[in-house]
Amino acid sequence: MEGPIKLQTPLKDEDVEKLKIGDQVLISGVLLTGRDAAHKRLVELLDKGEELPIDVKGQVIYYVGPTPAKPGRVIGSAGPTTSGRMDAYAPRLIELGLKGMIGKGSRADNVIEAMKKYKSVYFAAIGGAAALIASQIKKAEIIAYEDLGPEAIRRIEVENFPAVVVNDIYGNDLYKEGRKRYQIID
Amino acid sequence: MKTIKASQITDAVKKMCMDANYDLGEDVVKALDEAIEKEESPVCKVVLQHIKENSEIARRDSVPMCQDTGFAVIFAEIGQDVHIEGNFVDAVNEGVRQGYKEGYLRKSIVADPLNRVNTGDNTPAVIHTSIVPGDSLKIIMAPKGGGSENMSGLKMLKPSDGVEGIKQFILERVSEAGPNPCPPIVVGVGIGGTFEVAALLAKKSLTRELGKHNPDPEIAKLEEEMLEKVNKLGIGPQGYGGRITALAVHIEKHPCHIASLPVAVNINCHAHRHKEVVL
């Protein structure tokens, strides 16, 4: 097995073009965080034709709702949440230039289509590995929707954040392909 | 008659909220070790190792192993010769309130399923009580995350569907859940009773020590068979494709009506958290 691919955010087209499903990556740089309630607000702003509080171009959004940080720590435990809940909103952000999403669980067909069309990649982080992932987060600050508590949008800085490519820009899906490979039919 | 003070219950619940979220049981760690041995997919082997490492960090640093520190689900077996001094439900909720605040656990409960405003302290707990003989009070605290809970299901089968119908429903649920409930999972199954009893049995089966079979040999055999079948689905750790989709299948059954055959499947993730105390 080859070693993990190192990625530095923000991502460009040439970064995502080389990624294929099953690739293990280590992401460094800035990530934005957000989940259900924050996504809903962002898309409501877009519907009204208003400007977003964040620029998503080239960015990677991590779907997470961390626990409160203990004193002396930059963030609490911070594992990925189920991405399917963001499917209703994700294509709008991908269209605006969002280059990556990190979460867990399968995505809807229209999200996968948008990823192909606008060159965006979906990564999975290990669901539940929240203490381990928190140790890879070096800085965190809330940049929008503080009233949403764990669902507020944060800007976090990560070093060697481990993830796996689940949907690449070529329309492949690791959840489907991986399962086929290991399925045993009696 | 033994008297137990409300404050004792609060203190016990508070401690269990924190311990359950920081400290993965040895039974689960052992099952993870076995899974690492058995897993054939290289990327999934790494995943399982990371999951184990995560539990070690959580225990060492007293931080939650998963950011979804769950709905506080409480099973209380109250001895009929116990007198509780004070309000039992208030005592449990106060324990949850203090445990989730002082333990820096995430508050994930909204007061109203439609308006969705967070209660801010992870209360109310979901409390199941049963009256049992004796003069002790056993409390099990099992935080339940939303991601895995959402993948659960219940079906009212026809008695003629029989055990084959039950097997098919379990496989259907796990298969549809795929990567979403953070495999490797633990599958809790409740068979029989009524609509609500089946669901409760499925949830309660998840509080059993991992890998310990149902004492009924027929059900124990079904547990083994279903674990094998679930693992043949190939979903694998995190759904990346692999041999280990589930660490265990736990099944409980209950007498049921001549017209009914309810079956409930409640899925838990690898953060298979539960603590118990006897007062």
Side-chain angles (χ1 to χ4, degrees), chain A residues 3-5 30 53 57 60 83 98 102 112 125 129-130 136 144 162 186:
Chain A
I5 298 168
V30 169
K57 207 169 180 339
V60 176
S83 309
L98 183 72
I102 310 173
I112 294 171
Q136 265 110 14
D186 291 322

Side-chain angles (χ1 to χ4, degrees), chain B residues 197-244:
Chain B
V197 165
L200 199 51
L201 285 178
K203 169 124 314 155
K204 196 162 186 199
S205 79
L206 294 173
T207 65
R208 196 199 299 163
E209 190 183 318
L210 203 66
K212 210 171 168 186
H213 280 300
N214 188 305
D216 179 328
E218 198 189 349
I219 296 295
K221 212 173 129 221
L222 188 60
E223 288 176 339
E224 260 176 44
E225 184 190 343
M226 290 318 294
L227 178 61
E228 203 186 309
K229 284 199 155 74
V230 162
N231 283 334
K232 279 184 180 173
L233 292 172
I235 296 167
Q238 298 299 307
Y240 301 157
R243 294 282 166 241
I244 309 293

Side-chain angles (χ1 to χ4, degrees), chain B residues 162-179:
Chain B
V163 72
E164 285 310 314
I166 292 167
K167 289 180 192 172
Q168 202 187 329
F169 179 64
I170 297 170
L171 288 178
E172 241 171 60
R173 275 319 313 150
V174 175
S175 183
E176 274 171 34

Side-chain angles (χ1 to χ4, degrees), chain B residues 80-150:
Chain B
Q80 58 192 23
D81 299 324
V82 168
H83 169 65
I84 294 168
E85 208 176 82
N87 184 314
F88 174 72
V89 172
D90 289 351
V92 169
N93 280 324
E94 186 54 30
V96 169
R97 192 172 288 125
Q98 291 180 13
Y100 274 71
K101 181 168 188 285
E102 291 173 35
Y104 293 90
L105 306 177
R106 199 180 77 185
K107 288 74 179 175
S108 308
I109 306 306
V110 293
D112 184 297
L114 303 178
N115 299 340
R116 308 201 71 82
V117 177
N118 199 303
T119 63
D121 59 9
N122 221 57
T123 66
V126 165
I127 305 172
H128 303 291
T129 53
S130 52
I131 306 290
V132 298
D135 66 351
S136 59
L137 168 61
K138 179 163 136 184
I139 305 174
I140 298 174
M141 153 72 190
K144 189 69 173 77
S148 62
E149 187 79 348
N150 287 348

Side-chain angles (χ1 to χ4, degrees), chain A residues 35 65-71 73 77 79-80 104-106 124 126-132 174-175 178-179 182-184 186, chain B residues 41-42 50-51 53-54 57 61-62 64-67 104-106 175 179-180 182 232-235 238-243 270:
Chain A
R35 39 174 287 165
T67 61
K70 275 193 166 180
R73 287 176 179 259
S77 295
K104 61 157 178 112
S106 6
I126 300 175
L132 176 69
L174 176 65
Y175 292 141
R179 189 168 165 175
Y182 287 92
Q183 198 168 27
I184 299 170
D186 291 322
Chain B
S41 150
H50 280 169
I51 287 172
E53 198 185 323
N54 180 64
I57 294 173
D61 296 351
S62 294
M65 64 191 88
C66 177
Q67 80 287 343
Y104 293 90
L105 306 177
R106 199 180 77 185
S175 183
N180 292 1
C182 294
K232 279 184 180 173
L233 292 172
I235 296 167
Q238 298 299 307
Y240 301 157
R243 294 282 166 241
H270 56 81

Side-chain angles (χ1 to χ4, degrees), chain A residues 34-37 39-40 63-65 80-90 104 106-107 151, chain B residues 67-68 106 116 146-148 150 180:
Chain A
R35 39 174 287 165
D36 316 35
H39 272 75
K40 187 163 183 263
Y63 301 143
V64 61
T81 197
T82 310
S83 309
R85 291 195 313 267
M86 270 55 77
D87 283 351
Y89 315 111
K104 61 157 178 112
S106 6
R107 307 309 303 263
E151 297 207 52
Chain B
Q67 80 287 343
D68 189 347
R106 199 180 77 185
R116 308 201 71 82
S148 62
N150 287 348
N180 292 1

